[in-house]
Amino acid sequence: MRAILVAPPAKGARLGDAPTPTLGPGQVRVRTLECGICGTDRDIASGLYGQTPPGRADLVLGHENLGRVLETGSGVVDFAAGDLVVATVRRGCGRCRFCRANRSDFCETGEFTERGIRGRDGYLADEYVEEPEYLVRVPKRLRSVAVLLEPLSVVEKAVEQGQALLARLKAPAGPAPPPPAALIAGTGAIGILAAFRLRLAGFEVTAIDRHGDDTPAGRLLATIGAHHVNAASGLDALGPAKFELIVEASGSASLDFDLLQRLGPNGALVLTGIPSADRPPFLVAGGGLLRDVVLENQALVGSVNANRTYFALGLRHLAQFRRRWGEAVGGVVTERRPLEEFAAVLTAPTTGAMKSVLVVHPE
Ligand SMILES: [Zn+2]
Ligand SMILES: [Zn+2]
C-alpha cells in the first residue's frame, strides 16, 4: 500500500510502499480518508523528532486522522464496515497506573508509543488496523470537520486543565460577574480551536499572533466574536489587559515568560506549545515573575496529548460549534491536497494558514 515514510533522525519524507497490515481477531481495518499535518509532523520530517518502530528502518507518518471502517475481525461488535472513525494517537506503557486506567496522556514511565510519532506506524497510508478501544465513531454530519478532532482533543485537555485551576477558587456566590477573559497565544489550528472552545464556554477571547487581521485566522476569530491582536512587536499591543486564563499554543519559550506577566490575580497559564530545548539560554527577571505567581495565587501548567475521553468531548463540541457558528469551524482547514503533494505540505505553513490536510482517499 502507499504510505508516507520517514526515517528520523534522517531528514525528509517519501511516498513509498509499505506492507498492508493484516486484520486479526478483535481488530478493525480502516481506510484512511484524510490526515491533518501539524508542527510535530514537520519536525519529524526535518529529523528533529520521532522514532521508528523497533527493528524497522522507517516509520509511517501521520497522527491527525479520519478514516472509514472497511472490515472488522471476529468478535468486534462496536464497529461495522462503513463507519467513520478517528483513532487516538498514544498507546500506553501498560505498566503505570494511568496507562492501566486508559489515561496514557498522564503516563508516568514515559514508555508509551505514539502512532505516526514514536515507535508505531501512523495513518498516512492507504489503510491501518487498530483495536476498537482506540477508535472513536464519528457521526456522518461531522465528516467534513472530523479531521480536526485529534488537535481538538489536545485543546479539550488543555482547557480542562485551565478550568480545573480556575475552579480551585470556588468563587463565592453573588451577582453574575462579567465574562472571564482568556488570552490565546498563537493562531494555528490549536490556538483557533481553543478560541472556539473558550467562546463556547463563555469567555471573552483575545488571540495574538504576528500578523494583521486580514488572514484566514483573523477573519475566523472575528466570525466567532473573538478579538485579534497583532503582537509582532510585543505584548504591549495588548495595552494594560490581564487575563484569568491564558492558553499558549506557539512554542516560544521567551513568549511563555512574557505571558506570565499577563496573568491576572488567581489566573492560570496553560502551555501546549513545545519550545525547542536547544535554543541558546536567555535572561528572565525570575525573582519578579515568581514573586507575582506567589502574591497573586497564579498557576502554570503544561498539557500534552489527550486520551479517548477528550476525543469524545471534542466530538460533542464540534457539533456545538456547528450549531452556533454554522460552517465556520470548517474554515480551520485552510487547504486540502492530494497525498502526492505531501512534500509541499510538510514544508513551512503559509502565513495565516491553520490546518493543511492531505487527502488519502477522496471518496
Ligand atoms: Zn498534530
Ligand atoms: Zn504509562
Side-chain angles (χ1 to χ4, degrees), residues 127-189:
E127 54 188 75
Y128 68 90
V129 161
E130 191 48 276
E131 319 286 329
E133 64 180 296
Y134 300 120
L135 296 174
V136 179
R137 190 188 297 100
V138 174
K140 263 196 216 104
R141 63 180 192 284
L142 294 178
R143 161 75 171 85
S144 65
V145 290
V147 72
L148 295 171
L149 185 57
E150 194 280 337
L152 179 58
S153 74
V154 170
V155 167
E156 293 289 351
K157 177 180 172 182
V159 167
E160 186 197 79
Q161 301 297 301
Q163 286 181 316
L165 288 166
L166 296 181
R168 83 204 145 116
L169 300 171
K170 297 186 179 65
L183 176 66
I184 294 166
T187 61

Side-chain angles (χ1 to χ4, degrees), residues 187-207:
T187 61
I190 295 286
I192 293 292
L193 289 171
F196 272 85
R197 179 67 191 88
L198 290 170
R199 287 294 292 145
L200 199 65
F203 283 80
E204 195 62 44
V205 171
T206 302

Side-chain angles (χ1 to χ4, degrees), residues 93 96 99 107-109:
C93 70
C96 81
C99 289
C107 179
E108 290 179 313
T109 65

Side-chain angles (χ1 to χ4, degrees), residues 90-100 103-112:
R90 190 176 284 192
R91 304 291 172 263
C93 70
R95 298 200 295 115
C96 81
R97 56 194 170 144
F98 291 105
C99 289
R100 283 185 181 155
R103 293 168 63 195
S104 59
D105 55 318
F106 284 107
C107 179
E108 290 179 313
T109 65
E111 289 167 16
F112 54 82

Side-chain angles (χ1 to χ4, degrees), residues 37-41 63-64 150-151 355:
I37 297 297
C38 74
T40 300
D41 299 302
H63 58 278
E64 303 182 2
E150 194 280 337
K355 179 58 65 188

Side-chain angles (χ1 to χ4, degrees), residues 1 3 10-11 25 35 38 42 49 84 96-97 129 161 198 210 221 225 231 247 260 264 266 277 304 327 342:
M1 63 172 184
K11 283 188 184 152
C35 273
C38 74
R42 295 190 175 103
Y49 196 64
L84 282 173
C96 81
R97 56 194 170 144
V129 161
Q161 301 297 301
L198 290 170
R210 304 173 63 82
L221 288 165
V247 176
L260 208 42
N266 313 322
V304 71
E327 295 304 312
F342 68 97

